[in-house]
Amino acid sequence: MLDFNYMISTKILFGKNKIERLGEELKPYGKRVLFVYGQGSVKKTGLYGAVTDIFAKNNMVYQELNGVQPNPRVSHVRQGIKICRDHDIECVVAVGGGSVIDCAKTIATGVYHEGDPWDMFLQGDSSIKKALPLGVILTFAGTGSEMNGNAVISNEATKEKLAIHHDALRPRFSILDPTYTFTVSKTQTAAGTVDIFSHVLEQYFSPTKEAFVQNRLAESLLKTCIVYGPVALSKPTDYEARAQLMWTSSLALNGLLGYGRISDWATHGMEHALSATYDVTHGVGLAILTPYWMEYVLTKETSDKFVEYARNVWQVTGENDLAVAKKGIQKTREFFTDLGMPKTLREVGVKENALETLAEKTVLHGDVGKFKKLSKNDALIILKNAY
Ligand code: NZQ
Ligand code: ZN
């Protein structure tokens, strides 16, 4: 176990009707609110009315930033920062999935940043000092953004997608009412489940050998996705399935699994290059790339970890370790395809002549991967295999 400093500060209000707490939770942070949401699901579900009623009852003045797209754009962040400055906003409320939350986080810190917000993504985390307080109402289980200090933003002009990380970006509170996710489509539910699964894998496939408790925690989260992902697909209003996925989403990427060990994140590196270029749904990109990454990095040196994964997560049995390891990868691919995810980059419209550029973008800021370091050439081979 490596040394670490534990910091997971977001207050979670989990369960039906927890939105009733919104006014009380916002009280310490002020009366002038920026209300950030996406492209319309909050209006269809009635959440928009519920939130604005609470603002009114609590004498809060709110400005709106709406229309935030999946793979949120820096242009939206710029608009949000301008609104905050023009209206002397005191706190931000994000209602949506990872895209809305990440946009809101970047606005919350961008207000304090002199110059263009994209600079923060190029300069790195040390450029972040503080942020406006952020409250979240989660409507989509997947990214874990509701409980972490990460924000991922796309730059439509440069076709880049980059992340920032800072404890100041952690939401002060997040309201997790599983019933809000009943309306998430089958494809998006599947993509969210794959994203959760992938977050766990990125930390599970670690070069740190001594991480017993982290590994057992990780395996239980993976099994939760395996059990409840299909239930949520076949019965979107199954409360227990939605609740299990929602809490797993938060636990998978709030930092808990990564403490005390090094994480990999190579597959996310490749996927961010992909969704920056092709605007692919994040979880869909991960579903395609993950099994190919596994096949590429499975070697004699890494096989122990794959055997542990296959035996403990998929209950694969057998004497031959290599066969067991391969079976675990096969099970992973089948799980994703059973959720309805595509298997190849070709199926999501990627052009073969773009693979080189995707590989370049993957390593634009240096090699990726800690379980197995990937150079541009390694990334290119994986992308070609996935094509
Ligand atoms: O825009 P609306 O109309 O709200 O529709 C959204 C969107 O089209 C819809 N949706 C959300 N809640 C719904 C709903 N539809 C019906 N009913 C509901 N209750 O779902 C679609 C996808 O939403 P989005 O927020 O884009 O999904 P997700 O949560 O997967 O976020 C993806 C973004 O987060 C980044 C990804 O790269 C991507 O940009 N990530 C953020 C991370 C983080 N902050 O820690 C880590 C992840 O690895 C990831 O990179
Ligand atoms: Zn992810």
Side-chain angles (χ1 to χ4, degrees):
M1 176 112 61
L2 307 177
D3 295 351
F4 61 89
N5 298 328
Y6 177 101
M7 163 78 171
I8 304 178
S9 54
T10 302
K11 177 175 183 180
I12 296 293
L13 299 122
F14 193 102
K16 285 179 195 162
N17 302 320
K18 286 286 175 157
I19 197 170
E20 289 165 1
R21 296 275 313 158
L22 180 63
E24 200 56 37
E25 294 301 326
L26 283 172
K27 246 186 204 153
Y29 306 124
K31 293 274 179 201
R32 293 185 300 280
V33 183
L34 178 71
F35 175 17
V36 185
Y37 59 94
Q39 297 192 298
S41 72
V42 293
K43 292 213 166 148
K44 280 189 211 138
T45 58
L47 203 43
Y48 176 89
V51 171
T52 50
D53 282 354
I54 291 170
F55 289 156
K57 272 193 204 122
N58 289 276
N59 301 316
M60 290 176 158
V61 184
Y62 66 92
Q63 307 298 322
E64 287 187 22
L65 179 75
N66 56 34
V68 177
Q69 301 110 314
N71 301 323
R73 318 291 198 263
V74 70
S75 53
H76 247 107
V77 172
R78 293 186 187 114
Q79 282 177 41
I81 292 172
K82 184 168 181 335
I83 298 173
C84 287
R85 289 182 178 150
D86 289 352
H87 295 271
D88 202 9
I89 292 292
E90 295 172 292
C91 58
V92 182
V93 171
V95 185
S99 297
V100 168
I101 303 169
D102 287 1
C103 183
K105 285 177 176 176
T106 314
I107 292 166
T109 187
V111 170
Y112 295 109
H113 181 82
E114 284 175 28
D116 190 70
W118 189 247
D119 299 343
M120 297 186 293
F121 291 82
L122 298 175
Q123 289 162 7
D125 304 343
S126 60
S127 66
I128 298 165
K129 303 287 176 240
K130 56 180 182 168
L132 289 170
L134 168 68
V136 165
I137 300 166
L138 186 66
T139 68
F140 185 109
T143 65
S145 188
E146 66 276 9
M147 208 177 172
N148 68 37
N150 312 334
V152 185
I153 295 292
S154 295
N155 184 325
E156 58 270 59
T158 62
K159 293 226 177 288
E160 280 176 286
K161 184 177 192 180
L162 297 176
I164 46 175
H165 321 261
H166 198 282
D167 283 331
L169 301 182
R170 290 181 184 270
R172 301 297 171 95
F173 66 89
S174 284
I175 294 174
L176 272 54
D177 180 338
T179 65
Y180 295 156
T181 63
F182 284 177
T183 52
V184 176
S185 72
K186 271 189 197 288
T187 310
Q188 290 291 352
T189 299
T193 305
V194 173
D195 194 20
I196 301 169
F197 202 84
S198 170
H199 294 158
V200 182
L201 294 179
E202 297 275 23
Q203 298 166 90
Y204 186 76
F205 283 92
S206 161
T208 314
K209 297 262 185 254
E210 295 80 15
F212 185 91
V213 67
Q214 295 91 331
N215 286 331
R216 303 297 81 77
L217 285 169
E219 286 159 4
S220 69
L221 299 186
L222 294 171
K223 286 181 190 173
T224 309
C225 295
I226 293 165
V227 171
Y228 286 103
V231 180
L233 279 198
S234 63
K235 200 162 172 260
T237 56
D238 187 302
Y239 181 83
E240 193 55 26
R242 293 296 193 179
Q244 292 290 335
L245 290 174
M246 199 172 222
W247 187 222
T248 306
S249 142
S250 305
L251 292 175
L253 199 54
N254 64 3
L256 185 65
L257 296 184
Y259 287 128
R261 67 166 158 199
I262 296 166
S263 300
D264 188 72
W265 298 109
T267 313
H268 267 68
M270 286 186 286
E271 197 297 313
H272 285 171
L274 173 66
S275 50
T277 314
Y278 283 97
D279 203 14
V280 169
T281 298
H282 176 60
V284 172
L286 293 169
I288 297 168
L289 293 169
T290 300
Y292 293 101
W293 171 83
M294 288 180 153
E295 283 163 352
Y296 187 72
V297 305
L298 169 60
T299 60
K300 243 193 194 149
E301 292 73 47
T302 63
S303 68
D304 282 3
K305 190 72 206 179
F306 281 94
V307 172
E308 181 185 358
Y309 168 66
R311 292 197 195 282
N312 293 352
V313 177
W314 295 106
Q315 281 73 53
V316 179
T317 54
E319 294 295 308
N320 182 323
D321 277 356
L322 188 61
V324 168
K326 286 186 175 170
K327 186 81 182 161
I329 299 175
Q330 187 193 328
K331 291 268 188 192
T332 310
R333 182 174 274 123
E334 281 167 10
F335 173 53
F336 295 162
T337 49
D338 287 351
L339 290 173
M341 293 285 101
K343 267 197 268 194
T344 61
L345 294 175
R346 191 189 300 256
E347 289 167 71
V348 293
V350 173
K351 299 276 177 281
E352 197 171 5
N353 60 12
L355 298 178
E356 182 93 26
T357 313
L358 293 182
E360 255 161 39
K361 278 190 187 177
T362 301
V363 297
L364 195 64
H365 301 281
D367 289 347
V368 293
K370 294 281 170 33
F371 178 67
K372 179 89 169 37
K373 193 158 98 177
L374 301 185
S375 64
K376 181 198 153 188
N377 197 44
D378 295 317
L380 184 59
I381 296 169
I382 295 170
L383 290 162
K384 279 185 175 167
N385 291 343
Y387 183 74

